[in-house]
Amino acid sequence: MIDLKVGVIGLPGKWSTEALADAVEHATGFRHVIDMAELRADLTTGAVYAGATKISDYDALLVKKISAEYNPNTLDRLELLRWCEHQGVRVMSPALNILRLIDRLSCTVTLRQHQIPMPPTTITESIDAAMNAVEQYGSAIFKPLYSTKARGMVVIDNSMNQQQRRQHIESFKQQNPMMYIQQKLDLSGRDMGLVFLGGEYLGAYARVAQTDSWNTTIHSGGKYQAASLSEDVIEMAFRAQQPFGMDFTTVDVAETATGPVVFEVSAFGGFRGAKDGIGIDAAKRYVDYAINQLKPC
């Protein structure tokens, strides 16, 4: 065992969080799962505590989850991790890098700036512009800027009459003033997650719909399978994750009739998909990577 204090930021009791904590404990003999709701930062002394435990003198914090669901408060929690970094704690992935992925719009703008293929997308606060986007796309997915596993997403299409479309858009806008609108593509009930550790490609799994749901997420009944992808798709996913500098991430990709597209780069990455889809123990691989990063040069 190596003598390091490495905490795990996550959701106590959740499979991915506990799997990561198990891997840390196996490698170091130390285990501490930290719920972000318990953090307290004293900006006068510089100390950061999780409950009564001082964590600002840990060697590292591995971030698996910041909150159960993404929301603007998640960004505030990341500032506490940024303060831990200021105190000399290695945070993986870095707080600012995670911050750029929590907000769907921030992620999308960065991907498009790097010419990564994505579904046609419109960003607007205007009801009329949103109506025009639906008419142009034929079928559109309205996505909250902060969400995971397709939560809060709404499909609005031209099968509705104009009044129905407007009512649905107005209802979505009440909770989402800045509307993120993406053309709904024919994915044949499957999309992929490509796994990267320290920028190195580890493999890919598919999420395959088992119902008539429009999305393939496990939350909606999808199942994980292994995926065999072309070098072109892997290279595209590599370019997609590169600007974000994540220690561990997955890139969500789909193959369409007009070519592969990227949906997003994950702020935290999918341990379950890696394990169930392709038999990769991502938690162990991540901890081995982290320990190697923490070794003195």
Side-chain angles (χ1 to χ4, degrees):
M1 289 186 182
I2 189 165
D3 185 20
L4 290 171
K5 273 194 171 182
V6 178
V8 173
I9 302 290
L11 303 178
K14 294 296 184 179
W15 181 84
S16 292
T17 297
E18 298 298 338
L20 188 56
D22 288 345
V24 170
E25 184 176 19
H26 180 77
T28 69
F30 181 80
R31 183 190 186 93
H32 187 190
V33 175
I34 301 164
D35 186 334
M36 285 294 297
E38 298 178 354
L39 258 59
R40 170 174 61 90
D42 186 330
L43 301 188
T44 302
T45 65
V48 182
Y49 297 89
T53 304
K54 185 178 179 182
I55 65 169
S56 49
D57 57 3
Y58 281 13
D59 296 290
L61 297 170
L62 301 187
V63 184
K64 190 63 195 80
K65 276 289 186 181
I66 299 294
S67 57
E69 296 182 8
Y70 294 176
N71 55 63
N73 181 53
T74 305
L75 306 184
D76 296 327
R77 289 182 167 188
L78 284 169
E79 291 302 319
L80 296 182
L81 295 183
R82 199 158 69 90
W83 185 253
C84 287
E85 290 174 324
H86 182 69
Q87 299 305 308
V89 183
R90 177 73 179 268
V91 176
M92 299 181 183
S93 295
L96 280 177
N97 299 23
I98 295 174
L99 188 147
R100 297 170 65 208
L101 292 173
I102 292 290
D103 182 339
R104 177 171 278 109
L105 180 53
S106 175
C107 176
T108 297
V109 166
T110 300
L111 289 171
R112 294 303 298 132
Q113 286 175 336
H114 287 81
Q115 290 79 52
I116 303 299
M118 298 188 73
T121 305
T122 296
I123 311 298
T124 185
E125 295 185 51
S126 165
I127 297 289
D128 289 339
M131 289 282 289
N132 291 337
V134 174
E135 184 175 354
Q136 176 187 349
Y137 295 158
S139 183
I141 305 172
F142 284 64
K143 301 182 176 183
L145 295 185
Y146 303 94
S147 72
T148 59
K149 295 180 171 55
R151 293 184 181 94
M153 296 185 185
V154 178
V155 176
I156 303 174
D157 59 41
N158 286 335
S159 67
M160 305 173 183
N161 63 43
Q162 190 174 54
Q163 182 179 2
Q164 288 174 325
R165 292 200 301 270
R166 183 173 288 274
Q167 287 175 342
H168 279 79
I169 291 170
E170 288 174 345
S171 177
F172 180 83
K173 182 177 167 57
Q174 286 179 4
Q175 301 298 321
N176 306 275
M178 180 66 75
M179 292 178 286
Y180 182 109
I181 309 164
Q182 207 161 61
Q183 185 176 30
K184 184 176 179 290
L185 303 178
D186 180 8
L187 307 182
S188 301
R190 160 186 154 118
D191 65 356
M192 281 76 68
L194 284 76
V195 184
F196 291 87
L197 177 62
E200 176 189 354
Y201 173 65
L202 299 186
Y205 57 85
R207 286 175 293 255
V208 182
Q210 304 294 303
T211 67
D212 59 0
S213 172
W214 62 267
N215 72 77
T216 64
T217 65
I218 304 307
H219 181 70
S220 298
K223 299 295 183 183
Y224 293 120
Q225 297 178 2
S228 179
L229 303 176
S230 70
E231 288 299 321
D232 287 345
V233 173
I234 295 170
E235 191 275 336
M236 179 190 70
F238 175 81
R239 289 192 295 109
Q241 58 85 38
Q242 199 170 26
F244 299 100
M246 299 295 287
D247 289 300
F248 181 82
T249 189
T250 52
V251 182
D252 288 348
V253 172
E255 294 178 300
T256 74
T258 57
V261 295
V262 170
F263 286 115
E264 66 179 10
V265 177
S266 172
F268 306 111
F271 282 10
R272 179 69 80 177
K275 183 175 178 60
D276 292 353
I278 46 180
I280 290 177
D281 187 343
K284 182 182 184 305
R285 295 284 292 269
Y286 194 8
V287 171
D288 290 345
Y289 163 86
I291 290 173
N292 188 60
Q293 293 289 307
L294 293 168
K295 288 179 180 176
C297 297

